[in-house]
Amino acid sequence: GVPRCGAALHELHKALRIELNANANCVWQIQRNANQTIRLVFSYFKFAPSSSCETESIKVYDGPSTYSPLLGQVCNNTDAVPVLQSSSDSLTFLITTNSVAFTRNFFVFYYFFSPETKTENCGGQLTGPSGTLTSPNYPAPYPEFTYCVWHIQTAKNSKINLQFQDFFLELDQNCQFDFTAVYDGPTTNTGLLGKVCGRAQPTFESSSNVMTVVLSTDYANSYRGFSAQYTSAPLPGPVEPDTFLTCSSDSMKIVLSKSYLASVGYNETHLQLNDPSCSPFITDSVIFSFPLTSCGTTKKDDGQSITYTNIISHSANGNIITREKDIQIIAKCKMENNSTLEVIYITKNNIIQNTTAVGRYNVSMSFYDSDSFSTPVRQSPYYVDLNQSLFAQVTLHSTDPNLLVFVDTCIASPQPDFGSPTYDLIRSGCNKDDTVVIYPPLEHYGRFKFNAFRFLRSFPSVYLQCDILICDSNNTNSRCTQGCISRQKRAISSYTWKTNAVVGPIRLKRDLRSAGHSESLAKADVEETPNLQQYSFYTLSLVVLISNIIIVAAVILKYHKCQAGYSYQKIQSS
């Protein structure tokens, strides 16, 4: 008689079988003027395969509507049998499903109870190296509406073995009515080792010195319950992972020692990444080195950082069964504020071991000769004319194509350490100088132009420092796509990664001309002396030549005079 999608419930207790299809949005409200508390048990739930908590879930609210405080959420990856308790006599739960064509099934029951009413021998703390626990009234039938929680804790560096010698609860294929749940850890929120009912003698083993046992029953068909014994045993000595991870803008490198792999019983030839075709390079160590955007690496943008993740796992030898323990080596490169946080951790039996290191994105800034941004300016200092258009480009050097570069703030200073005075060109993505033009973000490039200026008081140089934001291009609401934002609004927006880049100095060409004129004068002074020496040599040679000509002319003249005094006379014969 319960409506298929949602209902208002007022009974003291009730069990609900719920069946929903795609695109459901159903609300159940439980309320009764009983001055009691409500316990709500989701003993069975089956969502659409591969659904996420964002698209398909059960949300439980502590009050009469969905505007009441959220008490908890159940979804496809919930690793527990959810049991929630209200703070008053009203409670609401909402079930939403996605568009996948699939029949979802849920079994939920609730009951009102008084928290001050205690059941004897129901739960408690067990701290010895060994001990026993039994259900209430054992071996007589357990009470209805029972909820007992036992917390077992033994010495450090030990594990717990739990053995049920006698076990008899109401039998059901999915253990929806009466059940015992065992958790590997101190809480009932996660780490479910198993849920059992009916006739059995189950055993459980923890991965640490803490275990939690729960007994939950409904209002009918009570049986003998259970009697169980726990013992503790020392954990094997810890084996250091002996791993090494480095991250850059382009790649991820994971190094594993063969000794560590042997300690967990693995052969290095059976290791694989998310993409099994990416094989390691094996020497004295096992080395995976690959681009960030390959080998099945996943990328997640949480609004404040970008995380690249890949998993090394051990490929099974058989096609159906395996007797090897499962191990995953999870490597993460987390790009965040002004650094790259590299995280590598190994999961084995729900134990996580972490290793961290630090790196950074590779970002550079250069001037270009035109707005085509094809030819960078190589000279330094960069000599320009006053009021000349200058074109600046910030470049992110990364193999990930789904990143955007955004120029957030740029300041100019005559000092390379950016001490006083400074001048704002761009602030929070907004032009602070009338000559600034900011080009739209283009993949790995952030571009803008401005007109050259000089600082007063004869400062010769201008340096530029820019704050750069890097965002995931798949996030259409990222800071990189929002452009100019005032300081008040900027506080509520997010970005992925921030750094700064510096370029300079810029100097005016008139300084270059002044320097060139002085150099020319100095060069002329240096060349003057050899020119004078050469001129003196030529002059002396000319004087000697003229002197020789005069001497030769004088000798010839004298010879002619002598010929005139002794003229030819014919000799007469005697």
Side-chain angles (χ1 to χ4, degrees):
V2 177
R4 178 172 171 270
C5 180
L9 306 171
H10 307 290
E11 294 88 344
L12 274 173
H13 59 82
K14 196 170 190 67
L16 305 173
R17 291 187 187 274
I18 301 173
E19 182 179 300
L20 296 176
N21 293 316
N23 302 315
N25 189 54
C26 307
V27 177
W28 283 262
Q29 182 195 57
I30 306 169
Q31 189 168 17
R32 182 184 178 92
N33 294 326
N35 197 25
Q36 289 182 311
T37 299
I38 304 170
R39 180 173 288 132
L40 183 67
V41 182
F42 290 93
S43 56
Y44 180 76
F45 51 90
K46 188 173 185 180
F47 293 94
S50 304
S51 63
S52 65
C53 292
E54 290 77 16
T55 62
E56 194 159 290
S57 68
I58 305 170
K59 292 183 178 179
V60 182
Y61 299 90
D62 190 14
S65 73
T66 55
Y67 295 102
S68 303
L70 181 66
L71 194 60
Q73 183 177 23
V74 184
C75 46
N76 197 35
N77 61 359
T78 298
D79 186 22
V81 183
V83 179
L84 299 105
Q85 185 173 312
S86 69
S87 61
S88 65
D89 57 4
S90 61
L91 189 146
T92 304
F93 65 93
L94 164 69
I95 304 181
T96 57
T97 64
N98 60 26
S99 59
V100 176
F102 182 82
T103 301
R104 289 85 169 162
N105 288 286
F106 310 94
F107 187 85
V108 53
F109 66 89
Y110 76 89
Y111 53 88
F112 285 84
F113 73 102
S114 299
E116 60 272 12
T117 302
K118 302 296 182 182
T119 303
E120 291 185 8
N121 193 31
C122 179
Q125 301 284 339
L126 302 172
T127 57
S130 62
T132 60
L133 59 153
T134 60
S135 58
N137 299 341
Y138 179 84
Y142 45 79
E144 62 181 12
F145 301 127
T146 297
Y147 184 72
C148 307
V149 180
W150 289 268
H151 296 282
I152 306 172
Q153 184 169 1
T154 58
K156 290 183 177 180
N157 299 319
S158 66
K159 62 181 179 179
I160 300 169
N161 293 287
L162 180 66
Q163 171 74 53
F164 287 88
Q165 287 91 7
D166 187 19
F167 190 93
F168 189 5
L169 271 64
E170 183 177 3
L171 178 62
D172 173 73
Q173 182 179 0
N174 296 315
C175 297
Q176 298 174 128
F177 309 119
D178 301 342
F179 61 86
T180 293
V182 181
Y183 295 88
D184 187 14
T187 71
T188 60
N189 298 326
T190 187
L192 181 66
L193 292 175
K195 180 178 70 166
V196 289
C197 61
R199 296 294 298 270
Q201 286 186 320
T203 61
F204 298 94
E205 181 180 279
S206 69
S207 63
S208 68
N209 65 324
V210 180
M211 178 183 281
T212 303
V213 181
V214 171
L215 171 65
S216 176
T217 69
D218 64 3
Y219 53 87
N221 300 328
S222 293
Y223 295 90
R224 188 166 62 243
F226 64 78
S227 173
Q229 181 179 7
Y230 76 88
T231 58
S232 60
L235 285 169
V239 178
E240 293 298 325
D242 195 10
T243 60
F244 183 73
L245 169 68
T246 55
C247 300
S248 69
S249 294
D250 300 315
S251 63
M252 182 186 300
K253 183 178 181 181
I254 310 168
V255 180
L256 306 172
S257 69
K258 289 184 177 179
S259 60
Y260 169 67
L261 294 172
S263 72
V264 294
Y266 280 171
N267 186 324
E268 62 271 11
T269 58
H270 294 154
L271 294 180
Q272 63 184 26
L273 291 169
N274 285 343
D275 181 355
S277 65
C278 295
S279 56
F281 177 69
I282 301 175
T283 56
D284 294 336
S285 301
V286 180
I287 303 171
F288 288 92
S289 183
F290 50 93
L292 285 179
T293 55
S294 67
C295 295
T297 304
T298 60
K299 182 175 70 171
K300 181 180 180 181
D301 179 7
D302 62 8
Q304 294 294 332
S305 62
I306 286 180
T307 302
Y308 299 90
T309 304
N310 210 314
I311 301 175
I312 299 176
S313 58
H314 193 256
S315 59
N317 294 327
N319 295 326
I320 301 176
I321 68 168
T322 180
R323 290 187 172 90
E324 295 178 331
K325 292 182 179 179
D326 185 30
I327 185 172
Q328 289 185 332
I329 301 171
I330 304 173
K332 291 190 175 185
C333 295
K334 188 173 184 180
M335 311 296 193
E336 56 183 11
N337 296 352
N338 205 29
S339 68
T340 303
L341 176 63
E342 299 162 357
V343 180
I344 182 170
Y345 58 84
I346 291 102
T347 63
K348 179 186 178 184
N349 295 333
N350 297 325
I351 298 176
I352 298 178
Q353 299 167 321
N354 297 292
T355 302
T356 61
V358 174
R360 59 186 305 122
Y361 267 129
N362 185 7
V363 177
S364 63
M365 183 162 65
S366 301
F367 286 110
Y368 284 75
D369 61 355
S370 70
D371 58 3
S372 67
F373 294 96
S374 57
T375 305
V377 175
R378 304 293 185 186
Q379 68 186 66
S380 181
Y382 179 23
Y383 285 97
V384 300
D385 288 319
L386 195 64
N387 214 35
Q388 175 183 333
S389 291
L390 306 183
F391 303 92
Q393 175 176 283
V394 177
T395 304
L396 168 64
H397 306 278
S398 175
T399 57
D400 187 346
N402 298 316
L403 294 176
L404 278 181
V405 173
F406 179 71
V407 181
D408 181 74
T409 297
C410 278
I411 62 172
S413 173
Q415 308 293 341
D417 59 358
F418 291 87
S420 181
T422 60
Y423 178 70
D424 283 0
L425 290 173
I426 303 172
R427 176 69 61 180
S428 300
C430 304
N431 300 356
K432 294 300 179 181
D433 180 273
D434 292 339
T435 67
V436 170
V437 175
I438 302 174
Y439 296 91
L442 177 65
E443 297 176 349
H444 291 180
Y445 306 104
R447 296 168 171 173
F448 64 97
K449 74 172 183 176
F450 65 99
N451 289 358
F453 61 91
R454 67 178 181 87
F455 282 92
L456 300 177
R457 301 182 184 176
S458 301
F459 288 109
S461 302
V462 175
Y463 294 85
L464 213 60
Q465 176 178 277
C466 295
D467 288 342
I468 311 302
L469 307 183
I470 299 171
C471 309
D472 187 350
S473 60
N474 294 320
N475 182 0
T476 57
N477 295 321
S478 70
R479 176 68 186 93
C480 297
T481 62
Q482 296 173 6
C484 173
I485 293 182
S486 65
R487 183 173 297 274
Q488 291 79 5
K489 290 183 179 179
R490 187 182 178 216
I492 64 173
S493 62
S494 62
Y495 55 84
T496 290
W497 193 87
K498 182 177 181 180
T499 187
N500 61 61
V502 177
V503 68
I506 310 166
R507 292 183 181 173
L508 297 180
K509 285 183 178 178
R510 68 181 186 184
D511 299 330
L512 176 63
R513 285 193 291 270
S514 298
H517 180 63
S518 300
E519 185 179 355
S520 299
L521 290 176
K523 185 175 181 181
D525 292 338
V526 171
E527 293 177 349
E528 183 176 2
T529 300
N531 288 341
L532 286 174
Q533 291 175 350
Q534 188 177 11
Y535 176 76
S536 299
F537 174 77
Y538 289 150
T539 303
L540 180 61
S541 300
L542 183 60
V543 170
V544 172
L545 178 61
I546 294 174
S547 299
N548 289 337
I549 293 174
I550 293 173
I551 292 172
V552 172
V555 172
I556 294 174
L557 182 60
K558 183 177 180 180
Y559 174 77
H560 281 289
K561 286 181 178 180
C562 291
Q563 289 294 330
Y566 299 94
S567 59
Y568 172 77
Q569 291 180 0
K570 186 177 178 180
I571 297 175
Q572 296 180 358
S573 63
S574 58

